[in-house]
Amino acid sequence: MPRTVHAVCSHDCPDSCGVLITIDETGRATRLRGDPSHPVTRGFLCGKVAKYLDRVYSPDRLLYPMRRRAGVPKTSLPHGREAESFERISWDEALDTIAARLAAIARDHGPESILPYSYAGTIGVLGYGSMDRRFFHRLGASQLDRTICSETGGQALISVYGRKLGTDPEAFPNAKLIIAWAANIHGNNIHLWPFVEEARRNGAKLVVIDPYATRTARAADWHIPINPGTDSALALGLMHIIVRDRLFDQDYVARWTCGFDQLRERIAEYPPDYVSSLTGISVADIERLARDYATTTPAVIRLNYGVQRSDNGGAATRAIAMLPALTGAWKHYGGGLQLSTSGAFRWDKATIERPDLMEASPLGREARVVNMSVLGGALTELGSKRDDGPRVHALFVYNSNPAAIAPDQASVLRGLSRPDLFTVVHEQFFTDTADYADVVLPATTFFEHKDIQGAYGHYYVQLSEQAIEPLGEARPNVWLFSQLAQRMGFTEPCFRDTPDDLIAQALRSSHPDQQHPWFAGITPETLQAAGGSQRLRLEEDQDKQPFLPFAEGPFETPSGRIEFYSATLAAQGVDPLPAFRPAPESRHTAAHERYPLEFLPRKGDNYMNSTFPNLPGHRAMESAFNGVLEMHADDATSRGIADGDTVDVFNDRGSIALRAHVNGGVRLGVVAARLNWNKLSAGGHNVNLLTSQRLNDIGGGPVFYSVLVDVRKASASTPKAI
Ligand SMILES: Nc1nc2c(c(=O)[nH]1)N[C@H]1C(S)=C(S)[C@@H](COP(=O)(O)OP(=O)(O)OC[C@H]3O[C@@H](n4cnc5c(=O)[nH]c(N)nc54)[C@H](O)[C@@H]3O)O[C@H]1N2
Ligand SMILES: Nc1nc2c(c(=O)[nH]1)N[C@H]1C(S)=C(S)[C@@H](COP(=O)(O)OP(=O)(O)OC[C@H]3O[C@@H](n4cnc5c(=O)[nH]c(N)nc54)[C@H](O)[C@@H]3O)O[C@H]1N2
Ligand code: SF4
Ligand SMILES: [Mo]
């Protein structure tokens, strides 16, 4: 008889869908669907994960450990023929080789010369960060500052509210005005869409603020195409009008916020005409948006991480996050703001990650911290100055594909090509990064291992059961680092914890008295009995009181109030109030004379960052955008470019070949293209050849969306666009 197992989609997506997997008598998964009983998944999956059997059972899966053949140089490899550069080895040999090399490197250069590199290939609690963290802490390896995605926005939100909480997606149908601010709901967060549609059926209006005409923007009541990187100015300008016209909630501001007087002085500097000149939005539209926002109840902002991927992104996130504090929108069910809900899941991180193990390491202290957004610099420059610690001699990559997703790709690839760098890559496929590995290890998918997961777009905890046996010799992250710890001779019992032990520790379920009240009553057993998913206990009485995260204080900030003015940021040398500052690569600076086009190197709607482009079915779904540069007609005409022409897109960091799509989703002065694998791109490089290693204003995040380029019709030497 076929059976059904509850799992959780572990991709880095706010929706964290409940997934029901059907398994036949032979143990093979034959079907998957969205869990119909999950109130946010509502029985459907996005297009890319609906086709997940293609991924799990792809003939291209990595199934065995492999070692680079002697003498083969480190370089990008042709898709489908990568294995020719490697030879199969046993797990025993792979683990012994890695343990011996890491031990030798730690002895010769110090353990900080070993750098783990991981991000969110899986956001399961165990797979994302548990046994791996224990292992690298005990080793004394460098710590990785995981800034590549949401650190800036997260820190910015916390600086205002003290915690990453937001409006419940299930409250959205109550809203009367929804602003999707840098939020591609259709592409990146599809399970919010039915709630938005329900609100609209009840009379709500949807406004989208995005420089690019996403599908969400095209479906909206009002699309406001803003100049990239100018959102701080718009938010400050909206606050200017709201205060000028006394449309703010004086009682809420007086009771729950601090720094209003300083904010009032700051926003005086942002009158509508000045804001209009920066943002490219007319004064009339700015006035109308401010009035609509402040006078419609409930009003909610779905803010996503697009705004914080630029130099001024921290300040922009702070300024936008302050809007509902000014209007008191938090008091109303369906009002407020959602950037992330992840702060509601109070996992016991100290126990699952064990940072205390650094003291037991040969280092005997906290290891240095390396920012993942400057991987290129870390691999090519670290160790060249006296005080920055040792050069990186070993790189251990898992849950990530930095050769494709990290900025300033030329520098990343220069680092990865170093013959003296020992690189291990634990992966499901032969990615652009695996091409450069000394040892490649096969990883499981979420069908093949057990985990527990929260979400950053809803408030349900879910158990992800193992549905099928691992394919080939693929192994989960927890298994890998537990085995390696034992080969390295680490005797602490925590290295023998099983996935079930780790799940219980994450929830503190063996010690109900120590559980956070929001986890109360949630254990692996109750989760199982509930079909795999349970809502956090956010409401004291689930029937009567809807969850309003910031309706009233105290707040978890240093002052206990919502902080318009942040003394914490001031102490770090950061402007304690939001301000607009032009990005070095933008239309507001001199660099624009040389490179007059603002470039948006976007995510694919049918991919997950660099995950999926290697699968033919997914590539077909994204075919309208693969290898394509979207341009405004006037920018094309003035350069003699016609629709379909191959073009060079270039700046000082490099040049890539794309096919022009004239009249794409962009306005004059902006061009856009999408992430892909390097080896599936013309010339062997994707959009990140053009992005910069500059860091932004809060938290050291990358500036993917602050890039200047120019475009010219291809010359004879341009690789043919594919
Ligand atoms: N299909 C799909 N879903 C995904 C992903 C994927 O790759 N594909 N990635 C996942 C990941 S890792 C994340 S972090 C989330 C991210 O989800 P989002 O934060 O929504 O991600 P982005 O697509 O980076 O940015 C959202 C929008 O911001 C816009 N934008 C860019 N610059 C600016 C600006 O200066 N101002 C304004 N107002 N808007 C701007 C972009 O055009 C984009 O449409 O999505 C997740 N979901
Ligand atoms: N130009 C540009 N660059 C970007 C972005 C952008 O919008 N534009 N977005 C940025 C953002 S928001 C993010 S989050 C990063 C994302 O960058 P990454 O975190 O590197 O994400 P992916 O590209 O999805 O690669 C994840 C890899 O992990 C592997 N994987 C999945 N599950 C497991 C597992 O259980 N174990 C192991 N060992 N491996 C696993 C997958 O096969 C996949 O190759 O990219 C950033 N880079
Ligand atoms: S990628 Fe997102 S929308 Fe798609 S199945 Fe996974 S969690 Fe759901
Ligand atoms: Mo991300």
Side-chain angles (χ1 to χ4, degrees):
M1 276 292 283
R3 49 190 189 98
T4 302
V5 166
H6 180 276
V8 188
C9 173
S10 65
H11 285 292
D12 186 0
C13 168
D15 299 2
S16 282
C17 289
V19 180
L20 299 182
I21 305 174
T22 310
I23 300 136
D24 71 12
E25 299 76 4
T26 67
R28 191 178 167 91
T30 54
R31 185 180 168 212
L32 77 162
R33 62 202 157 102
D35 182 352
S37 71
H38 190 295
V40 178
T41 307
R42 291 182 161 193
F44 75 98
L45 302 171
C46 66
K48 54 198 175 297
V49 172
K51 294 162 77 74
Y52 217 69
L53 294 175
D54 291 358
R55 183 171 179 85
V56 173
Y57 293 113
S58 163
D60 294 340
R61 274 286 298 275
L62 278 170
L63 297 178
Y64 309 102
M66 277 180 270
R67 172 172 61 203
R68 173 174 296 277
R69 286 184 193 281
V72 174
K74 293 187 177 178
T75 179
S76 179
L77 298 169
H79 180 53
R81 295 184 42 203
E82 298 92 339
E84 293 170 19
S85 299
F86 291 81
E87 59 198 0
R88 182 173 166 184
I89 53 176
S90 67
W91 263 109
D92 269 336
E93 192 175 354
L95 293 167
D96 285 338
T97 306
I98 296 166
R101 281 299 296 271
L102 294 184
I105 288 168
R107 188 187 59 230
D108 296 346
H109 306 284
E112 284 170 310
S113 65
I114 299 166
L115 179 66
Y117 196 93
S118 75
Y119 198 62
T122 165
I123 59 170
V125 172
L126 275 46
Y128 176 78
S130 61
M131 198 59 83
D132 55 314
R133 304 295 202 267
R134 293 177 178 181
F135 175 75
F136 289 112
H137 291 327
R138 175 65 182 76
L139 193 58
S142 285
Q143 302 185 76
L144 188 72
D145 195 1
R146 292 178 171 80
T147 56
I148 198 106
C149 171
S150 58
E151 187 62 23
T152 297
Q155 285 194 23
L157 190 73
I158 287 169
S159 74
V160 180
Y161 292 104
R163 184 156 280 276
K164 282 167 93 171
L165 297 176
T167 306
D168 192 329
E170 294 170 76
F172 272 61
N174 277 49
K176 289 290 177 242
L177 177 70
I178 299 172
I179 302 181
W181 199 320
N184 180 8
I185 299 174
H186 254 288
N188 300 352
N189 179 200
I190 186 68
H191 291 83
L192 186 61
W193 189 251
F195 298 108
V196 172
E197 281 290 272
E198 200 177 325
R200 294 174 86 185
R201 281 197 297 278
N202 297 335
K205 293 274 178 285
L206 173 67
V207 181
V208 172
I209 304 174
D210 195 314
Y212 180 86
T214 57
R215 232 189 311 161
T216 319
R218 294 179 205 265
D221 298 288
W222 186 14
H223 174 207
I224 304 175
I226 188 172
N227 290 336
T230 63
D231 301 82
S232 54
L234 178 59
L236 288 158
L238 296 176
M239 290 195 267
H240 177 106
I241 296 166
I242 290 168
V243 172
R244 181 198 68 194
D245 294 353
R246 300 193 176 284
L247 296 174
F248 63 103
D249 184 333
Q250 300 198 23
D251 179 59
Y252 186 88
V253 167
R255 280 167 76 158
W256 303 122
T257 72
C258 66
F260 178 68
D261 291 338
Q262 290 102 318
L263 179 71
R264 184 194 280 260
E265 275 176 40
R266 178 59 58 90
I267 60 183
E269 299 167 25
Y270 294 87
D273 52 348
Y274 175 54
V275 171
S276 172
S277 72
L278 296 172
T279 57
I281 306 168
S282 73
V283 169
D285 281 351
I286 295 168
E287 291 276 356
R288 179 180 147 207
L289 180 63
R291 177 159 294 272
D292 283 358
Y293 176 67
T295 60
T296 310
T297 301
V300 67
I301 299 174
R302 177 49 165 129
L303 174 62
N304 219 320
Y305 287 108
V307 280
Q308 44 108 69
R309 304 193 210 289
S310 61
D311 298 78
N312 200 211
T317 307
R318 276 172 52 73
I320 297 164
M322 288 172 190
L323 283 162
L326 202 57
T327 62
W330 292 112
K331 294 188 307 195
H332 311 287
Y333 187 64
L337 176 140
Q338 188 197 99
L339 173 65
S340 172
T341 58
S342 66
F345 300 88
R346 316 261 179 138
W347 311 112
D348 183 358
K349 286 214 162 160
T351 302
I352 55 176
E353 298 184 0
R354 296 289 306 271
D356 57 295
L357 287 170
M358 280 187 275
E359 269 151 50
S361 78
L363 210 55
R365 58 167 167 81
E366 273 214 28
R368 75 162 169 205
V369 179
V370 175
N371 185 338
M372 74 185 298
S373 298
V374 291
L375 177 64
L379 295 180
T380 54
E381 287 160 30
L382 256 188
S384 56
K385 289 198 268 334
R386 202 171 337 129
D387 55 358
D388 62 4
R391 187 167 163 80
V392 175
H393 286 274
L395 179 72
F396 203 127
V397 182
Y398 55 104
N399 287 349
S400 186
N401 183 13
I405 61 84
D408 192 3
Q409 187 170 96
S411 125
V412 173
L413 297 183
R414 218 166 36 245
L416 289 174
S417 327
R418 276 174 45 200
D420 64 319
L421 180 73
F422 176 64
T423 300
V424 180
V425 177
H426 185 221
E427 249 303 343
Q428 297 162 351
F429 287 92
F430 249 118
T431 58
D432 287 320
T433 309
D435 284 356
Y436 291 81
D438 292 279
V439 179
V440 178
L441 304 172
T444 42
T445 66
F446 74 83
F447 277 39
E448 299 152 77
H449 56 239
K450 188 168 185 177
D451 211 325
I452 187 163
Q453 196 166 310
Y456 60 100
H458 63 65
Y459 288 115
Y460 292 82
V461 186
Q462 294 182 86
L463 205 56
S464 192
E465 298 284 0
Q466 180 179 342
I468 58 172
E469 286 303 309
L471 268 78
E473 294 179 2
R475 292 292 177 269
N477 300 3
V478 169
W479 182 91
L480 166 63
F481 290 103
S482 165
Q483 290 292 313
L484 270 177
Q486 287 161 48
R487 306 267 165 160
M488 301 286 298
F490 300 162
T491 52
E492 289 81 358
C494 70
F495 289 110
R496 294 178 185 275
D497 283 344
T498 63
D500 286 324
D501 296 334
L502 288 163
I503 288 170
Q505 290 162 11
L507 284 169
R508 291 195 182 94
S509 55
S510 327
H511 304 284
D513 51 316
Q514 290 168 23
Q515 267 192 310
H516 190 277
W518 288 352
F519 276 148
I522 302 181
T523 67
E525 296 72 33
T526 60
L527 277 166
Q528 213 153 25
S533 158
Q534 272 182 284
R535 184 171 169 83
L536 291 172
R537 281 191 77 102
L538 302 166
E539 300 86 359
E540 312 228 311
D541 176 342
Q542 308 240 355
D543 295 327
K544 289 203 187 113
Q545 278 190 310
F547 176 60
L548 298 174
F550 297 128
E552 52 186 41
F555 296 86
E556 292 178 65
T557 53
S559 64
R561 290 166 165 261
I562 297 172
E563 299 195 349
F564 292 132
Y565 178 98
S566 167
T568 311
L569 287 179
Q572 294 165 13
V574 175
D575 191 340
L577 292 160
F580 169 76
R581 291 194 173 78
E585 290 189 57
S586 70
R587 67 181 71 206
H588 309 285
T589 52
H592 191 247
E593 286 162 29
R594 268 184 78 208
Y595 293 116
L597 296 170
E598 290 174 323
F599 181 45
L600 295 174
R602 303 169 53 75
K603 301 169 188 304
D605 284 355
N606 300 292
Y607 300 153
M608 176 61 61
N609 301 304
S610 77
T611 304
F612 294 116
N614 58 315
L615 301 175
H618 291 75
R619 205 156 58 234
M621 292 197 293
E622 190 68 15
S623 60
F625 296 99
N626 271 331
V628 161
L629 181 78
E630 296 180 71
M631 300 188 80
H632 186 273
D634 294 349
D635 285 325
T637 311
S638 64
R639 289 168 176 79
I641 293 166
D643 195 65
D645 280 351
T646 299
V647 293
D648 291 319
V649 188
F650 61 98
N651 60 22
D652 288 342
R653 290 177 289 270
S655 175
I656 59 175
L658 295 169
R659 201 169 59 252
H661 171 49
V662 177
N663 277 328
V666 287
R667 286 203 303 174
L668 191 68
V670 181
V671 291
R674 301 196 180 183
L675 267 176
N676 199 341
W677 276 17
N678 295 327
K679 55 185 151 184
L680 297 172
S681 308
H685 293 287
N686 73 6
V687 290
N688 277 323
L689 190 67
L690 303 173
T691 55
S692 155
Q693 287 191 70
R694 249 178 13 254
L695 298 176
N696 65 13
D697 53 346
I698 293 179
V703 296
F704 289 116
Y705 296 158
S706 283
V707 180
L708 286 176
V709 298
D710 203 353
V711 178
R712 65 179 162 235
K713 205 168 158 163
S715 61
S717 63
T718 303
K720 204 171 147 29
I722 43 180

